[in-house]
Amino acid sequence: MNVFGAVKTSINTREAAERYGVEVNRHGKALCPFHNDRNPSLFVDDDHYHCFACGEHGDVIDFTAKLHGLTLYDAAKKLAYDFGITQDKPPDKAMQEKLNKKSEAQRLRENEKLCFSALLEYMKLLQEWKRLYAPRSPEDTQDDRFVEACHTLDYVEYLVDLLIMGDSYERTEVIDMMMTDGKLQKLQMHLKKHRKERSYEQEER
Ligand SMILES: [Zn+2]
């Protein structure tokens, strides 16, 4: 394996960014060092980075080269040196442990799974409510569940779509939003409550 391969497989882009003074928040975003950035526009993942404002994009070697004004080869050598990697020797044990530690990006993926399963369950529930509790005649009082479905179903479908089809930036936005103000926990409680109600209803039948 050459120095490029050794560096790319052993060094996480995020760790390198942080090592070189670019602070990455828990959602994988940072102030972009490649343009005059006021809000974090730079998304840093395990194996690449992308700036949504200036379009800078690449892997850990591109990042280091651009940041330090080095050629790609010199950047790869610098990374290898700074992270203690040699071409014939795998990263040492301490480094390996560090690499194995849960990265923020992994945590993001776990949150993504939680958000996705809650939103998907909610979407199915709302679809069912819209069908089951629709008023049968104009005189019927509207069922709360039907009203909730009418108000929220489109939005929830949109969020689920973004999680399935969106790029990493869009998915991060949805997860960010769900992890703010305990929205995910509230949704999980809401679902739990209705799961219980449904099992009672099924017992009565
Ligand atoms: Zn930028």
Side-chain angles (χ1 to χ4, degrees):
M1 197 185 277
N2 65 18
V3 65
F4 289 102
V7 162
K8 271 194 228 176
T9 50
S10 319
I11 305 171
N12 187 299
T13 310
R14 201 188 162 95
E15 277 184 78
E18 288 184 332
R19 173 82 169 253
Y20 297 140
V22 175
E23 214 175 290
V24 184
N25 72 19
R26 65 198 173 90
H27 304 301
K29 291 205 205 136
L31 284 172
C32 177
F34 308 123
H35 79 276
N36 185 11
D37 201 8
R38 289 187 193 162
N39 296 305
S41 316
L42 185 74
F43 182 70
V44 188
D45 209 343
D46 286 346
D47 60 351
H48 73 281
Y49 68 97
H50 181 78
C51 176
F52 289 91
C54 71
E56 270 303 324
H57 181 94
D59 62 23
V60 65
I61 299 172
D62 299 315
F63 185 86
T64 308
K66 179 94 184 167
L67 193 69
H68 298 283
L70 299 170
T71 64
L72 291 178
Y73 183 61
D74 286 341
K77 279 199 300 189
K78 176 176 172 57
L79 282 162
Y81 180 79
D82 290 345
F83 283 83
I85 291 156
T86 58
Q87 284 146 256
D88 38 70
K89 185 184 106 199
D92 62 34
K93 205 166 166 256
M95 181 63 64
Q96 198 59 53
E97 273 167 17
K98 223 178 131 204
L99 288 169
N100 288 344
K101 248 190 3 198
K102 260 193 200 175
S103 69
E104 290 296 325
Q106 274 171 301
R107 222 162 291 159
L108 188 71
R109 275 196 287 275
E110 275 165 26
N111 287 341
E112 180 171 358
K113 266 188 219 157
L114 291 175
C115 291
F116 183 70
S117 74
L119 284 168
L120 191 68
E121 183 180 345
Y122 191 36
M123 185 181 87
K124 287 181 182 158
L125 187 68
L126 291 172
Q127 286 166 341
E128 192 182 299
W129 286 354
K130 204 168 177 179
R131 211 177 52 239
L132 289 179
Y133 303 114
R136 303 284 170 232
S137 72
E139 295 85 49
D140 272 3
T141 43
Q142 287 199 332
D143 190 287
D144 286 345
R145 287 164 290 196
F146 178 73
V147 175
E148 182 176 332
C150 289
H151 284 166
T152 28
L153 182 56
D154 283 351
Y155 180 58
V156 173
E157 283 176 341
Y158 169 71
L159 295 178
V160 170
D161 267 4
L162 280 181
L163 286 180
I164 297 173
M165 322 264 279
D167 58 30
S168 62
Y169 181 74
E170 290 169 325
R171 298 199 310 272
T172 309
E173 292 281 285
V174 175
I175 301 158
D176 266 13
M177 186 275 292
M178 289 299 292
M179 303 314 280
T180 317
D181 303 331
K183 283 200 198 73
L184 177 64
Q185 283 85 344
K186 278 180 211 156
L187 177 58
Q188 286 169 332
M189 299 283 287
H190 190 53
L191 291 168
K192 203 170 154 190
K193 188 178 140 225
H194 287 289
R195 240 179 266 144
K196 254 189 206 159
E197 278 177 14
R198 281 163 100 198
S199 60
Y200 290 142
E201 279 174 16
Q202 270 157 9
E203 271 169 32
E204 281 167 19
R205 269 177 217 156

